[in-house]
Amino acid sequence: MSSPSVSPNRTNPTVPLPLDANAPFTIEQKQYLEGFFAGLNQSIPFVAQTPSGHLTADPDSNLPNQASPTCHGTPVEDLSREELWKYEENPLDVWDKLLAHANEDRPPAPDDLFRFKFHGLFYVAPAQDSFMLRLRIPGATLTSSQLRGLALIAADWGSGRADITTRANLQIREFQPRDIVRVLNKVQSLGMSSRGSGADNIRNITASPISGLDPEELLDVLPHAEALGHYILNSRDLYDLPRKFNVAFDNGGSISVLADTNDIGFLAVRVPEDQDLPAGVYFRIVLCGITGHRQFATDCGVLIHPHQSVAIAAAIIRVFIANGDRTDRKKARLKYLVDRWGVAKFLEETEKLLAFPLMRLPASACIPRKPIDRAGHIGIHPQSQPGLHFIGISTPVGRLPVSQMNALATIADTCGSGDLRLTVWQNLILPNIPTEHLESAKQQILAAGLNFTAGPVLSGTVACTGNQGCRFAATDTKTHAVALAHHLDERFKLTQPINLHVTGCPHSCAQHYIGDIGLLGVKVGGEEGYQVSLGGGSDQDQALARELLPAVPFTELPPILAHLFTAFLDTRIDENETFLAFTRRHSIDDLRRFAQPTSEVA
């Protein structure tokens, strides 16, 4: 990426940077930039191509000046603030700045705050006056030695715990600036990376958490997720996306990876005999999942051989890099490029980068997926390998203290294969436990203060960081989520899982739109509260939740949900009806009536 000869924020130190990295430019800054680019434009001759193919030198033609600086075809003067920061200085090339900030023990200015995210470092003031580190764990698999090393990082320099995220990843918090280089070097020594885990990059590549272990799976997708992760790390040009990008690989098995919430989802499917393609296992491609914008990924009609997935992902991402919006951050996700072009043109541009054609086959021609076990990420389950089991361990809302990290590493070594898996449900899995070691593993898990069982609500509860660690969040999501789940599990004897998604702001990192119960943090008269939605789901239950209540103080929420659960148990069709089905067969007015303390349920 080329750099301009003059940098607006560095040539005029009297123009202050905004204190908030997401704040708009001040009037003074806008005036400076307008003058800067006006002077720049006056010094550059104008040339543009008219629709008829002629070249014009008329600057009033409203055509882009092809003789002026551009970034991915966008005139520099039209770039958004973050794109301008990237244009000024490639975020991958700021190691000297990281060293300087560590040596001086100082936080970054807004432009470097953004660039540091390319290295997995997030300065999260004012929620916490410190850095958060987000890792990359492709396919969400790690070794016991890596977990111990991360525990040491958290103990020596961080908050004393890690947090499992909704992208089956790990975050560690409360690093001071003086320690950021030590942290990055230690991560690298563990054979891990945090590069590209934040900002305008491809986020952690997720895969079905028991891929290769699942008796119900069609394909072990873990090698494909890991391969794409390595390809990204080795491809410098894949670190300059218009906005963040999510990719998931689904093995077609018993536990969901929520592929339909990703920009690209590769879904393992089986093609039967009597189709135009040979029978066998392929990937279907779904595109443009972005639940924060209320959209699931949709099937684009393409079927591919699994070994082609990394090449196709790379082509799709490069088309997005070359053509995504660099001027408006709110319209810079993949969804908006596909909306503008249409799926057919997008696939056509993708095929131009491939040495092989894409295959077309409608989804209806593939064998339907088997049912998903919504509680399969918790508990003891047999693997496809005879005599081996995996144990899904409950770590409510992903909180994992150092003592438990070390204990889990020891259990993985003494009872298993030394490997662990993370899930998008903010819990983890110990695989490859022989039958004769199960009892020992169970006792060690309990002794560590963990469990391999959880109530139907707690087992499906996820929460974002909340206002204890994120300046965007309106509420303490993790504390509220656990308290609410315990309250409901203790009061009601439910037999089927219920997903509770608690997110602190409209960015919806906890994907509240896809929860049986979705809570979005809001302020209610100065109190912490939530917008309440019901009936969301993914995969075979795919739907966006409907708003039940626009704003409720958290203190009033437990009795409201208790009334709803009471109505569910009293009026369900039979014992097999799920809470999700109950909320979907009733109108919002009926559900609001059920939620009222005075409700009389027939």
Side-chain angles (χ1 to χ4, degrees):
M1 183 186 297
S2 60
S3 297
S5 58
V6 182
S7 169
N9 286 330
R10 288 175 172 74
T11 57
N12 188 350
T14 65
V15 181
L17 284 164
L19 295 177
D20 185 338
N22 288 286
F25 284 121
T26 64
I27 294 175
E28 184 181 14
Q29 290 164 339
K30 288 180 179 178
Q31 290 173 341
Y32 174 79
L33 289 173
E34 288 170 358
F36 168 73
F37 286 117
L40 189 65
N41 288 334
Q42 288 175 4
S43 65
I44 297 175
F46 184 89
V47 59
Q49 190 168 26
T50 68
S52 63
H54 296 91
L55 294 177
T56 177
D58 181 9
D60 295 326
S61 62
N62 292 323
L63 295 170
N65 186 2
Q66 295 172 342
S68 68
T70 62
C71 176
H72 295 289
T74 299
V76 169
E77 62 265 30
D78 293 336
L79 293 176
S80 66
R81 179 180 55 179
E82 290 79 2
E83 289 294 335
L84 185 61
W85 286 339
K86 289 188 288 184
Y87 182 76
E88 286 184 270
E89 185 174 19
N90 192 312
L92 298 181
D93 297 331
V94 297
W95 185 255
D96 287 345
K97 286 187 173 181
L98 290 168
L99 287 171
H101 281 73
N103 288 334
E104 299 170 21
D105 195 23
R106 62 181 171 89
D111 55 344
D112 285 328
L113 184 153
F114 175 76
R115 295 186 186 102
F116 286 8
K117 293 178 183 178
F118 282 65
H119 300 265
L121 292 168
F122 295 71
Y123 191 69
V124 294
Q128 293 173 337
D129 189 15
S130 57
F131 280 96
M132 176 268 283
L133 174 77
R134 181 186 294 155
L135 293 157
R136 290 192 78 89
I137 309 177
T141 66
L142 70 164
T143 66
S144 57
S145 60
Q146 288 173 332
L147 187 60
R148 283 194 188 91
L150 296 175
L152 191 62
I153 292 173
D156 287 351
W157 301 308
S159 62
R161 79 160 196 261
D163 288 273
I164 306 173
T165 76
T166 56
R167 286 209 65 76
N169 201 354
L170 286 174
Q171 295 179 352
I172 306 176
R173 293 182 169 270
E174 297 185 35
F175 299 115
Q176 293 305 307
R178 60 181 175 271
D179 295 320
I180 57 177
V181 172
R182 296 186 183 96
V183 168
L184 293 179
N185 285 337
K186 180 63 176 178
V187 167
Q188 187 171 0
S189 75
L190 296 173
M192 304 180 74
S193 177
S194 60
R195 175 184 273 197
S197 61
D200 301 343
N201 288 292
I202 306 157
R203 302 301 176 82
N204 196 47
I205 310 299
T206 59
S208 298
I210 54 170
S211 195
L213 318 174
D214 187 352
E216 302 297 325
E217 74 181 2
L218 299 179
L219 177 71
D220 181 1
V221 299
L222 184 56
H224 304 278
E226 291 178 332
L228 180 56
H230 290 306
Y231 182 81
I232 293 165
L233 287 174
N234 290 309
S235 302
R236 185 178 173 92
D237 69 309
L238 296 185
Y239 290 84
D240 186 24
L241 280 67
R243 284 303 297 268
K244 71 175 183 178
F245 201 95
N246 295 324
V247 184
F249 290 82
D250 189 295
N251 69 352
S254 58
I255 301 180
S256 172
V257 72
L258 302 180
D260 53 5
T261 66
N262 287 255
D263 294 277
I264 307 175
F266 292 102
L267 313 181
V269 296
R270 185 177 296 281
V271 173
E273 303 287 348
D274 73 11
Q275 294 298 325
D276 293 337
L277 296 173
V281 175
Y282 297 80
F283 278 137
R284 294 203 67 81
I285 299 177
V286 295
L287 293 175
C288 301
I290 174 172
T291 52
H293 294 218
R294 302 179 67 88
Q295 178 169 306
F296 288 100
T298 55
D299 189 277
C300 64
V302 168
L303 199 73
I304 67 170
H305 295 292
H307 72 270
Q308 298 172 325
S309 59
V310 175
I312 289 170
I316 289 173
I317 294 163
R318 285 192 169 98
V319 170
F320 176 51
I321 289 171
N323 299 283
D325 194 320
R326 303 275 175 172
T327 66
D328 184 351
R329 300 285 287 179
K330 295 180 180 179
K331 296 294 180 68
R333 292 291 297 271
L334 177 68
K335 157 187 163 56
Y336 296 101
L337 174 60
V338 176
D339 285 349
R340 176 158 48 93
W341 276 4
V343 172
K345 180 179 178 181
F346 184 82
L347 294 177
E348 179 184 344
E349 294 299 314
T350 299
E351 282 189 286
K352 290 178 181 179
L353 301 183
L354 297 170
F356 54 88
L358 297 175
M359 300 178 290
R360 267 72 170 183
L361 191 74
S364 58
C366 300
I367 296 174
R369 180 181 180 146
K370 294 180 181 179
I372 290 169
D373 182 357
R374 294 180 65 188
H377 57 285
I378 299 291
I380 301 169
H381 304 270
Q383 294 179 191
S384 55
Q385 297 82 9
L388 294 181
H389 306 75
F390 70 87
I391 303 178
I393 298 174
S394 174
T395 51
V397 295
R399 288 172 169 160
L400 201 60
V402 162
S403 60
Q404 293 181 345
M405 295 170 74
N406 287 319
L408 287 165
T410 298
I411 301 168
D413 283 337
T414 59
C415 298
S417 57
D419 300 309
L420 303 99
R421 309 276 183 100
L422 306 178
T423 85
V424 297
W425 304 105
Q426 293 182 296
N427 73 310
L428 55 82
I429 287 170
L430 286 173
N432 304 318
I433 311 293
T435 302
E436 60 269 25
H437 291 162
L438 273 178
E439 192 58 36
S440 175
K442 289 161 60 178
Q443 293 305 316
Q444 291 183 62
I445 290 167
L446 294 173
L450 295 163
N451 212 325
F452 42 85
T453 63
V457 180
L458 185 63
S459 65
T461 294
V462 296
C464 72
T465 298
N467 60 15
Q468 297 303 299
C470 176
R471 61 192 175 85
F472 297 113
T475 55
D476 184 1
T477 55
K478 290 201 173 193
T479 300
H480 292 162
V482 172
L484 195 56
H486 280 307
H487 171 78
L488 295 172
D489 280 334
E490 290 167 2
R491 179 164 179 177
F492 298 96
K493 303 303 179 185
L494 303 168
T495 58
Q496 296 174 343
I498 294 175
N499 290 341
L500 170 65
H501 291 243
V502 186
T503 200
C505 78
H507 291 149
S508 194
C509 293
Q511 301 174 323
H512 68 290
Y513 287 124
I514 65 170
D516 294 41
I517 304 169
L519 304 181
L520 169 62
V522 295
K523 292 295 186 184
V524 186
E527 292 185 54
E528 294 187 10
Y530 292 92
Q531 176 196 94
V532 183
S533 299
L534 298 175
S538 61
D539 302 304
Q540 294 151 328
D541 295 322
Q542 188 182 101
L544 294 170
R546 298 178 294 165
E547 183 183 302
L548 178 75
L549 300 169
V552 179
F554 175 73
T555 53
E556 298 178 16
L557 193 52
I560 288 174
L561 292 181
H563 289 304
L564 271 174
F565 275 41
T566 299
F568 161 58
L569 294 174
D570 288 347
T571 67
R572 58 185 172 175
I573 295 173
D574 55 43
E575 292 186 355
N576 294 319
E577 184 176 30
T578 65
F579 181 75
L580 178 62
F582 164 79
T583 61
R584 289 184 177 178
R585 72 178 172 86
H586 285 288
S587 69
I588 285 295
D589 286 341
D590 283 343
L591 294 171
R592 286 173 181 156
R593 181 171 58 85
F594 292 151
Q596 297 303 312
T598 57
S599 174
E600 294 183 5
V601 180

